[in-house]
Structures are given as C-alpha cells and as structure tokens.
Amino acid sequence: MKTAIKALCLFTLFCGVANAEVASTDEVMFKMDANGDLIKPEGYREWVYIGTPVTPNDMNNGKAAFPEFHNVYIDPISYKHWKEMGEFREGTIIIKELVSVGSKAATSGQGYFMGDFIGLEATIKSAKLFPKEPNNWAYYSFSNKDHSLPVNPTAKAFPTASCAACHQAAAADDMVFTQYYPVLSAAKGGEKSKPE
Amino acid sequence: MKTAIKALCLFTLFCGVANAEVASTDEVMFKMDANGDLIKPEGYREWVYIGTPVTPNDMNNGKAAFPEFHNVYIDPISYKHWKEMGEFREGTIIIKELVSVGSKAATSGQGYFMGDFIGLEATIKSAKLFPKEPNNWAYYSFSNKDHSLPVNPTAKAFPTASCAACHQAAAADDMVFTQYYPVLSAAKGGEKSKPE
C-alpha cells in the first residue's frame, strides 16, 4: 500500500513537471509515468481520424512488415493547429491503432475489411521532451509481440534508429506520412490550400 | 434577390419544422433544405471514425462496384447513445467519405494507400422522417458520377431498392455493417461487452 501511495505521489509530481515543461506552448493530450514512460492514451477513438494504410501479408509474399490496417488519429488540439498553421505543434500526439484483416469478401466485393484491434502505437513531437530525436519525434508501441490483448498500460520510447529513418526518408511533412492521410492534406494551413 | 430571400425564408421555416419533428428524441447533426433534400453536413471529419473497407478494382476484375476506400463516421451524439445502449438512436447520421486509391507501394510495403477525396454519402435513421423505409434508414449521395469535386451541396434520398436490400441481407446490426467497423463493435452497449 505504501508502495502504491509512493508511486502515486511520484506520478503526480512527474506529471506536474512534464506539464510545466510543455505548458509554455499549450495543453497536451498525453501523460508520462514516474519512469518517463508514456501512459496509454484514453479516448483516442474520439480524436480526429486522418487515414488508414493497409499492407497485408498476401501482397507482401506472406511476410509483410506491417500486415494489418493502421487506423491513424491526431489529437484534436494539434489538428486545430495543423489546420491553422500547416505544421505539427510542440506536443502533437499521433496514434496508430492496429486492426487485423478480418475478411477479404463481402456483398460489396473482394477487398480488405477490418477485423479486431490487435495493437496500439504512438508518436509524440516535443522539442522539450525529445531534444535529440530527429525533428523531435519519439515513437512508442503498447502492442504485445503476438498482438494479443490487452495492450500494455505504458510504453518506452523506441531507440531512434527503429523508426526515424523511414519517416525521415519518405514522409511528406515533418516525418509524418501526410501523403497517405487525406484529412491532413486537405486541411493543411487553412482554406487557401484546400482543394475545391 | 427576391427569390433568394424567399428561398432563405422557406429554408428557415422548413428547418424549424424539421427540428421540431425530431426534437422529442434529441438534437440531430443534419439539416434538410426547403425541398426536403439533405444539406451536405459540415465538420464530419471531426466526428467519430468507425472503419474503412476497401474493395479496389484490381481485386474485382477491374470493375469494382465500390473501387475506392470508404471512410465511415458516425455523429458523436449517436456514438454516445450506441456506447450506452448498443443501438442506433432516432436521428443517427452515418457518413461515408469516398477516397481514391492513391498508391499501391510505400516504404512500409505493397498495399493500398489513400489518395484524394472523391465523393460523399450518408445514411440517416429516423422513424419520423422515413416511416416507410426499412428500419427507417434513408440513403443519400452527394457525389458526382465522375467523382469530380466539389460534391453537390444537397442530395435527394435514394429509392428504397437502391441500397436497402444489401444492407438488410448482410449487415450485422440494424442494417449497418458493424462487423467491419471495429470501433462500433468494441463500444457496443457499454463496458460489459468490451473485449479485454
């Protein structure tokens, strides 16, 4: 019990520090625990959806690096900033929820249809928290290796080499693959850049 | 000018009537015009995303009935009701935004990646507005036949035969394909039905 209370106090203290660190820019929609690990965000399915790539096994010789749907969301505060400024603000969090391929045929035709939730990942941009990461993005995964549920309640940041290289090389906007996220492309930087 | 003012007055009058008709159940997130046609909803990309099926041409002998991604959203008031009650309330609106297949290869692998917005469709459940439609769902499309933009500002309801038959035959919940919408499946009817 004492341990639990101590952990809670440390957690509260840390959150205070973490919030103070990013308070100069704006409210953020994520929290770290006493170890500096990211706590699994809640309510992200009601954030702003931005797009879904799918790279299934049967299109990648049975060995896809990412064989599931990736449902991608941005927190609503950072979406508002993106719409106005066309950039990812300090404190942006983007969520990637992994969904299995559930079916390949329906009354609408042959294709890919979503099955079950099987994992959860996130990336956060913060110059204050991640001054040494490329463009200040850190990457996290709450998923289990076998994609079983529940996912983990906290996650450590990946080493830089694990994720940043592909994002630096191929993503259209500040290491984010906006070229595959039409909601972001259409909303970028205000009305002037919106397609008719 | 007089015609415009007259149209505006009729519109205002009609909206008053339409709102009165559904006010006994709850606020709704759609509006009809003076002709009873559905006005294109605004802000739906910030509603609750529920899933994306894709049935591309190259998986359907080059002639897919629906060759694009379908990004599907539910209005947030009806999502709250779904979570609590496990049913689609009077006044539910579900949006289907059509997105082209933009790419079939990326650094993450071979697959399907979203391109551009090319159309917009909607379905509304209302016993008061559509007493004779199966399960009281009416279906609308704002899309142009050639998928050019902008989509149309208003839409007439489809004849019942155009959409309802497939939805009645194959959809898992009240004519909605919840079996392909994991966000709805996971949230249905409160915590007790959520997977661990």
Side-chain angles (χ1 to χ4, degrees):
Chain A
M1 187 63 183
K2 273 188 186 171
T3 310
I5 292 170
K6 193 177 165 191
L8 188 66
C9 292
L10 276 172
F11 169 74
T12 309
L13 180 66
F14 184 88
C15 287
V17 173
N19 283 338
E21 280 184 347
V22 290
S24 64
T25 51
D26 216 337
E27 181 190 348
V28 297
M29 294 187 73
F30 59 84
K31 285 181 187 167
M32 306 297 182
D33 71 5
N35 297 316
D37 298 342
L38 179 62
I39 299 172
K40 185 175 83 71
E42 300 289 333
Y44 56 85
R45 290 181 195 149
E46 295 173 47
W47 291 4
V48 180
Y49 166 75
I50 59 174
T52 301
V54 58
T55 50
N57 271 328
D58 56 13
M59 291 177 73
N60 293 277
N61 302 317
K63 296 175 185 173
F66 308 96
E68 60 286 314
F69 287 94
H70 289 173
N71 291 353
V72 186
Y73 301 84
I74 189 171
D75 76 86
I77 303 170
S78 300
Y79 180 65
K80 186 171 182 292
H81 185 91
W82 171 265
K83 283 197 295 186
E84 290 168 2
M85 307 300 290
E87 64 179 21
F88 297 107
R89 69 171 187 132
E90 168 78 15
T92 296
I93 175 167
I94 293 175
I95 290 279
K96 184 169 84 175
E97 183 150 44
L98 279 53
V99 186
S100 66
V101 172
S103 171
K104 289 192 61 184
T107 51
S108 55
Q110 306 293 313
Y112 291 97
F113 299 86
M114 291 182 180
D116 300 315
F117 294 122
I118 56 173
L120 190 71
E121 304 186 356
T123 182
I124 292 173
K125 182 184 178 77
S126 173
K128 293 181 181 165
L129 295 173
F130 317 115
K132 294 180 181 174
E133 295 296 330
N135 290 30
N136 309 122
W137 289 100
Y139 297 87
Y140 298 86
S141 175
F142 300 93
S143 307
N144 293 298
K145 280 189 180 172
D146 63 357
H147 282 171
S148 61
L149 296 182
V151 298
N152 297 301
T154 62
K156 291 189 185 304
F158 278 107
T160 302
S162 302
C163 305
C166 280
H167 284 258
Q168 278 183 302
D173 275 291
D174 188 12
M175 298 179 64
V176 179
F177 290 92
T178 55
Q179 65 265 48
Y180 309 130
Y181 301 144
V183 174
L184 291 186
S185 303
K188 184 178 180 177
E191 294 292 331
K192 65 183 183 299
S193 63
K194 274 190 183 174
E196 275 297 307
Chain B
M1 189 61 182
K2 274 190 186 171
T3 311
I5 293 170
K6 192 175 165 191
L8 188 64
C9 292
L10 276 171
F11 169 73
T12 310
L13 181 66
F14 183 89
C15 287
V17 173
N19 284 340
E21 280 183 350
V22 289
S24 63
T25 51
D26 216 335
E27 182 190 348
V28 297
M29 295 188 70
F30 58 84
K31 287 181 185 168
M32 307 298 181
D33 71 5
N35 298 315
D37 297 342
L38 179 62
I39 299 172
K40 186 175 82 71
E42 299 290 333
Y44 55 86
R45 288 180 196 150
E46 294 174 47
W47 292 3
V48 180
Y49 167 75
I50 58 174
T52 302
V54 58
T55 50
N57 271 329
D58 57 12
M59 292 178 74
N60 293 277
N61 303 315
K63 297 176 185 173
F66 309 96
E68 59 287 312
F69 287 94
H70 289 172
N71 290 354
V72 187
Y73 300 85
I74 188 171
D75 75 87
I77 303 170
S78 300
Y79 180 65
K80 185 171 184 292
H81 185 92
W82 171 265
K83 283 197 294 187
E84 290 168 2
M85 306 299 290
E87 64 180 21
F88 296 107
R89 69 171 187 132
E90 169 78 16
T92 297
I93 175 166
I94 293 174
I95 290 279
K96 184 169 82 176
E97 183 148 46
L98 279 54
V99 186
S100 66
V101 173
S103 172
K104 289 192 62 187
T107 51
S108 54
Q110 307 292 312
Y112 292 97
F113 298 86
M114 290 183 181
D116 299 315
F117 293 122
I118 56 173
L120 190 70
E121 303 185 357
T123 183
I124 291 173
K125 182 185 179 78
S126 172
K128 292 180 182 168
L129 295 173
F130 317 115
K132 293 180 181 174
E133 295 295 329
N135 289 29
N136 309 121
W137 289 100
Y139 297 88
Y140 298 86
S141 176
F142 299 94
S143 307
N144 294 299
K145 281 189 180 173
D146 64 357
H147 281 171
S148 61
L149 296 182
V151 298
N152 297 301
T154 62
K156 290 189 185 304
F158 278 108
T160 302
S162 301
C163 305
C166 280
H167 284 257
Q168 277 183 301
D173 274 290
D174 187 13
M175 298 179 65
V176 179
F177 290 93
T178 55
Q179 66 265 49
Y180 309 130
Y181 302 145
V183 175
L184 290 185
S185 304
K188 184 177 181 179
E191 294 293 331
K192 65 184 182 299
S193 64
K194 274 190 185 175
E196 274 299 305

